[in-house]
């Protein structure tokens, strides 16, 4: 059930409104088999069964804390229409204590109706990554379930039994710990990225190559290779908002989460990194320059541009008087929505090479597979200034330079921000 009627209408036609590999056939198949339906009617959804999932947005409010208005709106609606016992399961990422607020909101509405209907609330945070959602959902590392009700836990155990055959994946805990587990996971991953970006910044100052350092530390299993890729900063709908929200939550309880503030600060700087390289390379004068941008989505395999690093780069380039020619394999419709179409300063190209026409330089923001092995000779012919700014360190500097193109990666020794 969604209040967005357009989204529901599209889904009913088998038209999945987001780009997520593998999702469309699953939706189409289950819809055709009548195992899945879409509606805007809350009553139909609430009376459907004994499990009701809340998975609405929890965007940052003005002070960075999670805005719970959508979650509590749904809780109120459930209270207004609940007919029989149900477990209300919160999948949205929410601050500790939200399960209690959801419970109180439902109870308030039941009291107004003058009815007594038993219900439980459970926390069941979501750990999937966009672009890999199906795999993460079908083969989860763990399924966290938090509730004070053994009845609710049993129902959820039954629901997740097919995912739990080979070994125990359910981690059962109280609801506060489950709520904090979600923020802790995202904050830890964001910390790994900011840590590595900090090392990249140091590498630039001392003339080291962070890519070699990454390989040198990742092979230690205590560190691991995942989430230590430096680059143009983390984006997306979750890391930025969740790091902020956890910091706010700590502050509201009188604790100053210094590490989290630094993670955020490093990331904000990192998102400006590509622009600062480009600006320095052109001696501060970008007026009339044309920059090709490869990658608009906040990561590959999605069309999501929420908090994407491409946005801060494009905004800064345009503000500096440059022209941008952007290409992304999936996110152009979303970019056109955000920027209200093309303009004199912002052109959306039909393919990667068209973006290079009349461009002075190329900036890589998202590491889509199709950007990984370009024809560098062709690039050299097309680029007026023969320079590549690689915001995801996907190229071997030697290979690029062999084609006569100047190369600048993030934290790769000879950077414009370094010595
Ligand atoms: N996007 C992701 O990959 C992940 C998201 N999460 C969490 O899941 C939650 C949802 O995230 P997204 O799906 O990205 O948000 P979204 O903003 O893309 O989607 C939220 C949906 O809720 C609908 N909605 C709003 N009010 C409603 C109401 N009263 N009744 C029914 N539907 C309503 C909206 O119309 C919208 O379609 C957030 O808390 C997020 O942190 C957690 C893990 C992964
Ligand atoms: O709560 C959420 O919504 C989700 O947030 C992230 O998933 P997601 O934001 O979809 O994508 P990630 O793959 O985590 O990438 C996030 C950002 O970090 C950046 N990143 C990632 C890894 C890395 O090593 N370096 C790096 O800069 C990516 O480019 C991207 O901008 C988490 O990985 C999920 O576990 C979580 O469920």
């Amino acid at each position: 059930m969604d209040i967005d009627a357009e989204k529901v209408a599209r889904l009913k036609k088998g038209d999945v409104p987001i780009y997520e590999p593998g999702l469309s056939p699953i939706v189409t198949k289950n819809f055709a088999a009548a195992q899945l339906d879409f509606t805007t009617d809350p009553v139909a959804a609430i009376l459907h069964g004994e499990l009701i999932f809340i998975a609405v947005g929890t965007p940052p409010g003005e002070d960075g804390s999670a805005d719970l208005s959508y979650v509590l709106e749904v809780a109120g609606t459930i209270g207004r229409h609940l007919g029989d016992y149900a477990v209300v399961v919160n999948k949205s990422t929410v601050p500790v204590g939200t399960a209690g607020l959801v419970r109180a909101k439902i109870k308030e509405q039941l009291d107004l109706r003058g009815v007594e209907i038993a219900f439980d609330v459970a926390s069941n945070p979501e750990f999937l990554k966009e672009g890999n959602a199906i795999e993460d959902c079908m083969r989860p590392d763990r399924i966290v379930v938090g509730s004070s009700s053994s009845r609710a836990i049993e129902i959820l155990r039954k629901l997740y039994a097919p995912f739990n055959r080979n070994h125990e994946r359910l981690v059962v805990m109280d609801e506060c710990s489950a709520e904090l587990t979600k923020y802790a996971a995202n904050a830890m991953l964001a910390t790994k990225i900011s840590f590595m970006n900090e090392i990249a910044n140091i590498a630039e100052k001392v003339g080291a190559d962070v890519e070699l350092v990454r390989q040198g530390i990742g092979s230690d299993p205590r560190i691991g290779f995942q989430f230590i890729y430096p680059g143009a900063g983390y984006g997306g709908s979750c890391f930025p908002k969740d790091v902020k929200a956890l910091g706010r939550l700590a502050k509201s309880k009188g604790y100053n989460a210094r590490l989290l503030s630094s993670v955020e600060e490093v990331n904000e700087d990192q998102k400006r990194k590509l622009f600062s390289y480009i600006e320095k390379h052109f001696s501060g004068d970008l007026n009339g320059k044309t920059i090709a941008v490869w990658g608009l989505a906040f990561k590959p395999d999605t069309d999501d541009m929420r908090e994407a690093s491409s946005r801060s780069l494009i905004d800064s380039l345009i503000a500096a008087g440059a022209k941008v020619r952007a290409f992304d394999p999936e996110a152009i419709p979303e970019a056109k929505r955000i920027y209200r179409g093309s303009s004199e300063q912002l052109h959306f190209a039909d393919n990667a090479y068209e973006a290079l026409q009349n461009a002075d330089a190329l900036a890589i923001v998202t590491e889509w597979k199709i950007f990984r092995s370009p024809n560098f000779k062709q690039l050299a012919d097309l680029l007026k200034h023969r320079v590549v700014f690689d915001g995801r360190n996907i190229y071997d500097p030697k290979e690029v330079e062999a084609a006569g193109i100047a190369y600048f990666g993030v934290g790769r020794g000879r950077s414009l921000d370094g010595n």
Side-chain angles (χ1 to χ4, degrees):
M1 181 268 158
D2 203 295
I3 49 169
D4 185 335
E6 196 193 322
K7 222 179 236 188
V8 170
R10 285 183 66 179
L11 283 163
K12 270 181 166 298
K13 282 191 255 157
D15 175 13
V16 176
I18 55 166
Y19 175 76
E20 179 64 46
L23 185 56
S24 264
I26 297 181
V27 169
T28 312
K29 187 176 135 216
N30 287 292
F31 186 67
Q35 283 217 274
L36 174 65
D37 203 358
F38 305 98
T39 181
T40 50
D41 176 11
V43 184
I46 290 162
L47 301 181
H48 172 71
E50 68 177 353
L51 277 159
I52 304 171
F53 281 85
I54 303 181
V56 293
T58 45
E62 260 171 34
D63 64 350
S65 61
D67 175 356
L68 289 179
S69 57
Y70 302 95
V71 170
L72 295 178
E73 170 68 33
V74 176
T77 310
I78 294 171
R80 278 193 290 283
H81 302 290
L82 194 66
D84 206 348
Y85 173 82
V87 187
V88 177
V89 190
N90 193 22
K91 258 220 167 289
S92 300
T93 301
V94 291
V96 177
T98 303
L101 298 177
V102 166
R103 192 176 289 114
K105 193 81 193 172
I106 297 173
K107 181 83 177 60
E108 178 190 286
Q109 291 302 318
L110 291 175
D111 289 348
L112 280 173
R113 285 165 62 193
V115 294
E116 253 190 59
I117 301 169
F119 69 94
D120 281 311
V121 175
S123 163
N124 174 212
E126 179 55 61
F127 297 103
L128 69 79
K129 299 178 287 298
E130 290 183 28
N132 203 49
I134 309 296
E135 176 69 14
D136 289 345
C137 175
M138 296 301 191
R139 269 179 278 280
D141 320 305
R142 78 298 205 189
I143 298 164
V144 171
V145 170
S147 181
S148 48
S149 154
S150 50
R151 186 176 179 186
I153 291 167
E154 271 328 295
I155 292 171
L156 282 161
R157 203 178 269 290
K158 218 162 120 191
L159 173 78
Y160 285 121
F163 298 88
N164 214 19
R165 283 212 177 99
N166 301 330
H167 66 90
E168 182 60 76
R169 286 194 174 84
L170 238 66
V171 187
V172 178
M173 55 182 80
D174 62 276
E175 57 205 35
C176 288
S177 304
E179 289 167 339
L180 186 56
T181 298
K182 173 63 198 178
Y183 279 120
N186 274 3
M188 170 63 109
L189 294 168
T191 303
K192 285 185 87 173
I193 300 168
S194 276
F195 174 84
M196 217 44 205
N197 282 330
E198 187 131 282
I199 296 294
N201 294 334
I202 297 171
E204 283 177 2
K205 300 283 176 203
V206 299
D209 183 350
V210 74
E211 285 305 311
L212 300 176
V213 177
R214 182 177 62 73
Q215 289 167 41
I217 64 169
S219 43
D220 181 335
R222 293 171 302 174
I223 297 171
F225 281 110
Q226 295 196 47
F227 280 76
I228 57 166
Y229 289 88
Y234 61 75
S237 67
C238 291
F239 285 171
K241 87 169 165 56
D242 292 349
V243 172
K244 257 193 199 75
L246 184 55
R248 279 282 143 188
L249 175 70
K251 197 170 173 200
S252 74
K253 302 291 175 193
Y255 180 74
N256 178 15
R258 287 154 295 175
L259 190 53
L260 297 180
S261 312
S262 299
V263 167
E264 235 187 298
E265 224 176 281
V266 169
N267 196 56
E268 284 308 311
D269 283 354
Q270 211 65 23
K271 281 182 152 183
R272 288 190 284 268
K273 207 91 235 188
L274 273 177
F275 177 72
S276 88
Y277 292 162
I278 298 170
E279 194 183 32
K280 281 192 184 126
H281 182 78
F282 289 105
S283 310
D285 183 15
L286 287 171
N287 203 11
K289 295 277 180 310
T290 299
I291 312 296
V293 171
W294 280 4
L296 293 163
F298 83 96
K299 61 178 281 189
D301 290 325
T302 178
D303 58 354
D304 197 338
M305 284 183 63
R306 289 180 280 186
E307 305 265 347
S309 304
S310 63
R311 293 171 72 164
S312 69
L313 175 63
I314 290 173
D315 294 347
S316 303
L317 287 171
I318 288 177
K323 287 185 176 167
V324 174
R325 294 177 67 83
F327 175 71
D328 186 286
E330 293 296 336
I332 286 181
E334 177 63 0
K336 284 186 174 164
R337 190 189 64 78
I338 293 168
Y339 287 101
R340 299 199 179 88
S342 316
S343 62
E344 223 210 297
Q345 272 190 282
L346 178 57
H347 169 79
F348 296 107
D350 291 333
N351 61 58
Y353 288 93
E354 199 228 299
L356 300 172
Q357 277 169 23
N358 296 317
D360 290 282
L362 166 65
I364 314 284
V365 191
T366 319
E367 67 278 29
W368 285 91
K369 273 205 188 85
I370 60 153
F371 300 148
R372 281 183 186 267
S373 319
N375 181 334
F376 289 115
K377 285 265 174 279
Q378 200 178 342
L379 239 75
D381 288 344
L382 286 165
L383 288 173
K384 282 199 263 179
H385 274 85
R386 296 195 169 182
V387 53
V388 168
F389 301 94
D390 181 358
R392 298 290 168 190
N393 290 356
I394 57 176
Y395 300 138
D396 174 354
K398 287 195 201 81
E399 204 188 335
V400 185
E401 284 162 357
I405 302 171
Y407 174 86
F408 298 98
V410 178
R412 311 202 71 176
R414 46 175 301 254
S415 134
L416 290 155
D417 265 4
N419 47 4

